[in-house]
Amino acid sequence: MASSSRNNKKYDVFVSFRGEDTRDNFTSHLYSAVCRQNIQTFIDDQLNRGDEISESLVNAIEASAISVIVFSEGYASSRWCLDELVKILECKKEYAQIVIPVFYRVDPSHVRNQTGSFGDSFSKLEERLKENTEKLRSWRKALKEAASLSGFHSLNIRRESELINEVVNHILKRLDEVFRPRDNKNQLVGVESKVEEIESLLGVESKGVYALGIWGIGGIGKTAIARAIFDKISGDFEGSCFLENVREESQRPGGLACLRQKLLSNLLKDKNAIPGIDLNFRRLIHMKVLIVFDDVTCFSQLESLIGSLDWLTPVSRIIITTRNKQVLRNWGVRKIYEMKALEYHHAIELFSRHAFKQNHPDVGYEELSSKVMKYAQGVPLALKVLGCFLHKREKEVWESAIDKLQRILHPSILEVLKISYDDLDDKEKSIFLDVACFFQGEHVNPIMKFFNASGFYPEIGIIVLVDKSLIAIDSHKRITMHDLLQELGREIVRQESINLKNRSRLWHHEDIYEVLTYNMGTEKIEGICLDMSKVKEIHLNPNIFTKMRKLRFLKFYSSSFNGKNKCKVSYLQELGFAEVKYLHWHGYPLKSLPSNLSAEKLVFLEVPNSDIEQLWNGVKLVMLNLRGSKSLKSLPAGIFNLEFLTELDLSGCSKLKRLPEISSGNVGKLFLSGTAIEELPSSFELLLRLWLLDLSDCKRLKSLPSSLCKLKSLGLLSLRGCSNLQRLPECLGQLSSPIILNRGFSMGKGHIVLPGNEIPKWFEFQSVGSFITLEMPPDSFNNSR
């Protein structure tokens, strides 16, 4: 009953007072203060009253969420006031109405016990109505009950203005308790700890105005949490304003001026505040204010709305929500709170509230709900949209909708996420779409080389995408992207054209099969990424790639567990790869690469498990992967001297017996495992940036050059399975890097020495008897390492 009554309240506050005592002083000031806060307040200012309270007054009390009782010295001399009091306490019991007593120049104990001057007033009324014992008993009971409630005492707060401020702030907080749970029933799930964290950040000591940024992708809940913070703490400020949808409003004619008007009007509680008048801003110098700028997209919006923070006092607070971290930097925001996705148990609760109107899935829908959780990845917007969409639908509809979501992003989610994409320039959009279609989870450094070769200016482009929460770089330097943002990128490509041949990027095996088999390639296609394990056979027209004059990226790979390529490619001849910068072809079916493959433009060349017999020098190659090429016998003479080559993978090239001499080189990773290499060239010391050298299972390798010890950058050397390795350079033990040897042992500083019958000369303990004891780190023999 209490809950339903709250939903139908006409007034926020009802004020009960004795007019002769406080109408022209305290109560009038209190009424003005609550009205300035836009609190709907009922006050009975009639000068002449009858003996009984009117029906309209009874209705007003019942229609209020809070009753404020101003106990003054003469309050108990009015039977009108006492009848109001009885009715108020009835509503407290029946409707859970909130009652706030204010003891204005009277002692609460005098009210409770009807003593002192307050008791004298009641005694006079009691004398007149001594025959009406039932009425008197109800009044005494009501006075005792009301005076026992927590309230405000004017004798404890000397200044009347301070007393009024405290009463108004308390009213605001209690109103929030009444109405906010209903309003936020479906929004504020799993944010309690986040609210507390942000609230603690706002409480820091600061010499200037303290500004906090809330940053994250669209739909992650930035606005909801900012609103929760605002509603919780705004009562502690003299002025407050929540400017919602700054981006959207600023795009309308005169939008920023309207927002500025709203800002000043709310802060100053003056509907006539005129934007652009310095006097209005000067009035803020003496006020403690709270401002939320929601969904800010550029620095100029903040400049237009408030100009300088010099207008505000140091105790004021500003919260800015944005998708663009650079906006916060430009405005000097020092503390940025990154909004994260909801944890699973909160996500399923939020989804269930919309899909099932309860906190958990219906019986039988648990597995389907888990699939939705995997898709939404904790983004509140997606959880709410999908929950509403699936509400009261049959399981068959759920299954169909979930399958569809794997290919097509829901329009409501697309609309919100696409805002950040639309704000990018053409180069940044290209990087975003390439990541969404091809590079999710790839290491950022080599991909930067590809973007550079494509003319995308990735040094700034990648930073912009990170700042706008569209991508992230994890601790392993891999490019990551939220699944919904990946779907956004792919949906943008789908919407380029209904015709597959007119889309810029192709990644779904069925689409690629159709384009290649039916010779549908056009110059619109910039990238193709085919999982060959999902296609049995492809018949290629000899001219198919020649038509794709803008093709930058071509990747034919296998995701099968054993890595074997079962896809047969027929009619493959000389191909037009003139513009290709990234070529990865698992099991490339020709023995030589196309003669027109541009050595000037190719950045990545990966043809694992192919029968490549010879190579030319691709002058801009960053990565060369020939893993498993059984026919390769030699490498071009200058392969290591390429200026940009940083990774060379020759693992499994079982006919490769020797490496060319080296005059220079920037190779950082060199994989030679399973090759027929017998020795390394003495010029190996010139690979000054080499940090990983894998020689495992090189069964013909007999020795290592002493020049290897000069490679101070070497971080890992693997010699596991080198069964014919007869000797190691004595200086090898001086390397700080771990060296992996036979039987899984490793050596180097702080590592275990290889087993054997003789102690190597480089080992520092030479005369220690039959065994030694070394102190090892606590986790040296952890099974997981």
Side-chain angles (χ1 to χ4, degrees):
M1 189 170 185
S3 176
S4 62
S5 69
R6 287 176 180 178
N7 294 333
N8 299 309
K9 293 304 183 186
K10 183 177 180 181
Y11 302 107
D12 296 323
V13 175
F14 177 90
V15 182
S16 175
F17 66 101
R18 184 171 185 262
E20 293 179 26
D21 291 351
T22 64
R23 176 183 287 112
D24 298 328
N25 44 61
F26 177 80
T27 300
S28 65
H29 298 319
L30 176 63
Y31 179 67
S32 297
V34 291
C35 288
R36 283 196 298 272
Q37 294 288 346
N38 295 317
I39 298 171
Q40 296 298 313
T41 305
F42 181 91
I43 186 168
D44 183 12
D45 55 3
Q46 297 179 38
L47 295 178
N48 298 313
R49 294 178 172 182
D51 288 339
E52 302 291 336
I53 60 174
S54 64
E55 184 179 352
S56 62
L57 203 61
V58 170
N59 292 337
I61 295 172
E62 291 180 347
S64 299
I66 295 175
S67 283
V68 175
I69 307 165
V70 182
F71 286 117
S72 56
E73 187 175 293
Y75 185 91
S77 65
S78 167
R79 60 181 299 170
W80 185 286
C81 289
L82 293 172
D83 283 343
E84 280 182 358
L85 177 63
V86 171
K87 182 61 184 178
I88 288 169
L89 293 176
E90 286 177 2
C91 290
K92 176 179 180 293
K93 181 178 181 180
E94 189 170 356
Y95 306 125
Q97 186 179 97
I98 296 169
V99 179
I100 302 173
V102 177
F103 302 96
Y104 184 70
R105 298 181 180 176
V106 294
D107 191 299
S109 64
H110 292 171
V111 176
R112 190 182 306 114
N113 301 312
Q114 298 89 57
T115 56
S117 57
F118 186 89
D120 293 340
S121 298
F122 184 76
S123 296
K124 293 177 182 178
L125 179 64
E126 189 177 32
E127 183 65 29
R128 295 200 308 269
L129 299 172
K130 56 185 176 182
E131 294 180 358
N132 196 342
T133 56
E134 187 63 31
K135 175 75 78 171
L136 290 171
R137 186 164 53 252
S138 68
W139 286 342
R140 285 187 180 277
K141 181 181 178 183
L143 287 169
K144 184 174 183 179
E145 181 181 346
S148 300
L149 297 174
S150 176
F152 296 87
H153 191 187
S154 66
L155 297 180
N156 295 335
I157 307 172
R158 292 291 181 179
R159 292 184 180 178
E160 198 165 287
S161 60
E162 292 181 12
L163 174 62
I164 288 172
N165 281 339
E166 290 207 18
V167 173
V168 172
N169 288 340
H170 186 68
I171 289 172
L172 285 169
K173 288 182 178 179
R174 298 308 302 270
L175 285 173
D176 182 66
E177 294 172 9
V178 172
F179 297 108
R180 199 36 63 181
R182 178 201 64 194
D183 294 343
N184 277 348
K185 183 175 74 172
N186 292 322
Q187 284 76 25
L188 298 183
V189 175
V191 302
E192 292 81 2
S193 60
K194 297 177 182 178
V195 168
E196 291 177 5
E197 189 174 349
I198 294 175
E199 191 176 5
S200 67
L201 292 174
L202 285 171
V204 300
E205 294 294 331
S206 175
K207 293 181 180 179
V209 179
Y210 187 79
L212 173 75
I214 301 177
W215 169 65
I217 67 172
I220 198 69
K222 301 183 297 296
T223 300
I225 200 166
R227 171 62 75 179
I229 291 290
F230 180 84
D231 291 335
K232 186 175 182 181
I233 69 173
S234 58
D236 297 330
F237 295 81
E238 296 170 86
S240 59
C241 181
F242 192 106
L243 279 187
E244 204 161 11
N245 297 325
V246 171
R247 173 194 57 81
E248 184 178 340
E249 295 296 326
S250 64
Q251 292 173 351
R252 298 174 179 173
L256 283 172
C258 291
L259 285 174
R260 204 178 197 207
Q261 168 86 49
K262 179 182 177 181
L263 176 67
L264 287 170
S265 298
N266 285 11
L267 293 179
L268 298 171
K269 301 179 178 64
D270 180 1
K271 294 181 180 179
N272 298 316
I274 302 173
I277 301 297
D278 283 354
L279 174 61
N280 286 325
F281 279 103
R282 289 184 183 278
R283 292 164 66 186
L284 297 177
I285 292 176
H286 308 290
M287 295 179 64
K288 177 185 178 183
V289 300
L290 170 67
I291 306 172
V292 175
F293 295 110
D294 174 57
D295 195 16
V296 177
T297 55
C298 61
F299 175 64
S300 60
Q301 292 166 348
L302 293 172
E303 265 192 324
S304 298
L305 290 171
I306 201 168
S308 171
L309 295 180
D310 294 341
W311 295 114
L312 305 177
T313 62
V315 291
S316 294
R317 296 290 181 263
I318 292 177
I319 299 173
I320 303 166
T321 76
T322 183
R323 306 179 188 201
N324 189 353
K325 188 186 282 189
Q326 188 61 28
V327 170
L328 304 175
R329 295 195 194 104
N330 288 341
W331 221 47
V333 177
R334 290 170 296 177
K335 192 66 179 178
I336 300 174
Y337 184 87
E338 182 180 359
M339 281 292 293
K340 300 288 188 181
L342 291 176
E343 295 179 5
Y344 185 89
H345 63 288
H346 286 137
I348 195 71
E349 179 182 346
L350 179 59
F351 172 73
S352 298
R353 288 187 178 187
H354 288 83
F356 308 105
K357 305 307 176 185
Q358 59 191 18
N359 290 344
H360 52 82
D362 282 347
V363 175
Y365 281 82
E366 296 89 349
E367 186 176 346
L368 288 170
S369 297
S370 293
K371 290 182 179 180
V372 177
M373 294 302 99
K374 185 176 180 180
Y375 174 81
Q377 295 286 300
V379 174
L381 168 71
L383 294 165
K384 288 185 278 189
V385 167
L386 297 177
C388 292
F389 177 70
L390 294 169
H391 177 56
K392 286 195 173 179
R393 296 188 188 270
E394 299 297 326
K395 286 185 180 180
E396 293 77 9
V397 178
W398 277 59
E399 290 168 352
S400 176
I402 291 170
D403 289 341
K404 182 180 177 182
L405 287 171
Q406 306 306 317
R407 295 291 303 270
I408 302 173
L409 196 63
H410 191 283
S412 298
I413 302 171
L414 173 68
E415 181 183 359
V416 172
L417 295 179
K418 195 170 181 287
I419 292 169
S420 297
Y421 172 82
D422 290 337
D423 198 36
L424 302 172
D425 67 27
D426 289 343
K427 304 297 185 185
E428 293 158 0
K429 286 178 179 178
S430 293
I431 294 174
F432 175 77
L433 295 180
D434 275 356
V435 173
C437 296
F438 307 135
F439 296 128
Q440 167 79 296
E442 298 286 342
H443 196 282
V444 67
N445 291 342
I447 302 307
M448 290 276 284
K449 306 288 186 183
F450 170 72
F451 288 145
N452 257 319
S454 300
F456 292 164
Y457 307 101
E459 289 79 7
I460 182 62
I462 292 288
I463 291 173
V464 168
L465 293 179
V466 169
D467 283 349
K468 294 191 174 183
S469 303
L470 291 171
I471 65 172
I473 309 299
D474 68 14
S475 58
H476 300 289
K477 294 289 184 181
R478 293 175 302 196
I479 301 178
T480 62
M481 173 184 280
H482 194 283
D483 288 356
L484 289 179
L485 289 171
Q486 184 177 39
E487 280 303 307
L488 166 69
R490 294 184 171 188
E491 183 60 27
I492 289 170
V493 173
R494 290 188 198 102
Q495 292 184 6
E496 291 175 349
S497 175
I498 297 175
N499 255 323
L500 294 173
K501 64 182 180 180
N502 292 324
R503 294 178 184 173
S504 62
R505 296 158 179 85
L506 300 173
W507 64 89
H508 195 274
H509 64 279
E510 292 178 359
D511 296 343
I512 297 170
Y513 177 84
E514 185 174 343
V515 168
L516 297 183
T517 301
Y518 300 105
N519 196 24
M520 295 166 56
T522 69
E523 64 177 9
K524 298 286 187 182
I525 299 174
E526 298 178 33
I528 296 176
C529 187
L530 172 65
D531 184 352
M532 302 177 77
S533 65
K534 296 184 178 181
V535 181
K536 290 184 178 179
E537 188 171 5
I538 294 180
H539 296 273
L540 289 179
N541 184 291
N543 300 317
I544 183 68
F545 292 110
T546 307
K547 293 181 180 181
M548 304 179 195
R549 294 194 294 272
K550 295 182 181 178
L551 189 68
R552 300 177 290 110
F553 178 92
L554 182 62
K555 184 173 183 177
F556 280 32
Y557 72 102
S558 176
S559 66
S560 64
F561 178 75
N562 57 20
K564 292 183 179 179
N565 174 22
K566 296 181 180 179
C567 176
K568 295 180 180 179
V569 180
S570 352
Y571 304 117
L572 184 63
Q573 298 175 10
E574 193 67 20
L575 304 177
F577 283 145
E579 291 296 320
V580 171
K581 298 165 181 63
Y582 190 121
L583 174 59
H584 177 113
W585 197 312
H586 185 99
Y588 188 73
L590 296 182
K591 294 184 180 298
S592 62
L593 294 167
S595 60
N596 62 339
L597 189 60
S598 174
E600 293 293 326
K601 295 178 180 178
L602 192 65
V603 176
F604 290 86
L605 176 58
E606 299 180 278
V607 282
N609 286 32
S610 66
D611 290 321
I612 295 293
E613 295 181 351
Q614 58 183 1
L615 289 171
W616 40 255
N617 285 339
V619 295
K620 289 193 175 181
L621 277 178
V622 172
M623 177 188 292
L624 178 58
N625 179 353
L626 299 170
R627 180 186 291 266
S629 296
K630 306 296 183 183
S631 302
L632 187 69
K633 296 179 180 179
S634 63
L635 295 172
I639 191 72
F640 284 103
N641 306 334
L642 295 178
E643 180 183 358
F644 302 103
L645 188 66
T646 59
E647 183 171 331
L648 178 57
D649 191 344
L650 301 169
S651 302
C653 296
S654 55
K655 292 187 178 181
L656 183 64
K657 296 182 178 180
R658 58 181 296 275
L659 298 178
E661 288 296 327
I662 301 164
S663 61
S664 65
N666 292 313
V667 173
K669 296 180 183 178
L670 179 56
F671 299 93
L672 296 170
S673 62
T675 61
I677 297 288
E678 295 182 1
E679 62 180 2
L680 299 179
S682 58
S683 55
F684 221 73
E685 63 184 77
L686 296 175
L687 292 179
L688 299 178
R689 297 189 177 180
L690 187 69
W691 70 271
L692 186 152
L693 177 57
D694 184 2
L695 293 166
S696 56
D697 294 316
C698 289
K699 300 189 183 300
R700 296 191 180 185
L701 185 66
K702 297 178 180 179
S703 63
L704 296 176
S706 58
S707 59
L708 199 65
C709 302
K710 297 181 180 181
L711 297 178
K712 302 301 181 184
S713 63
L714 192 62
L716 180 64
L717 170 61
S718 178
L719 299 171
R720 182 183 286 117
C722 296
S723 52
N724 282 322
L725 189 60
Q726 298 173 1
R727 56 178 291 273
L728 297 176
E730 293 182 2
C731 60
L732 207 58
Q734 299 172 7
L735 290 175
S736 60
S737 58
I739 303 170
I740 302 173
L741 299 146
N742 291 328
R743 305 181 195 173
F745 287 96
S746 61
M747 73 178 187
K749 285 189 178 178
H751 289 78
I752 303 170
V753 183
L754 79 163
N757 296 325
E758 296 181 4
I759 298 177
K761 293 181 179 179
W762 45 259
F763 192 62
E764 61 181 297
F765 301 101
Q766 292 293 322
S767 302
V768 292
S770 58
F771 66 90
I772 60 172
T773 301
L774 299 177
E775 185 176 344
M776 303 297 291
D779 60 347
S780 295
F781 300 99
N782 190 313
N783 289 333
S784 65
R785 295 185 58 188

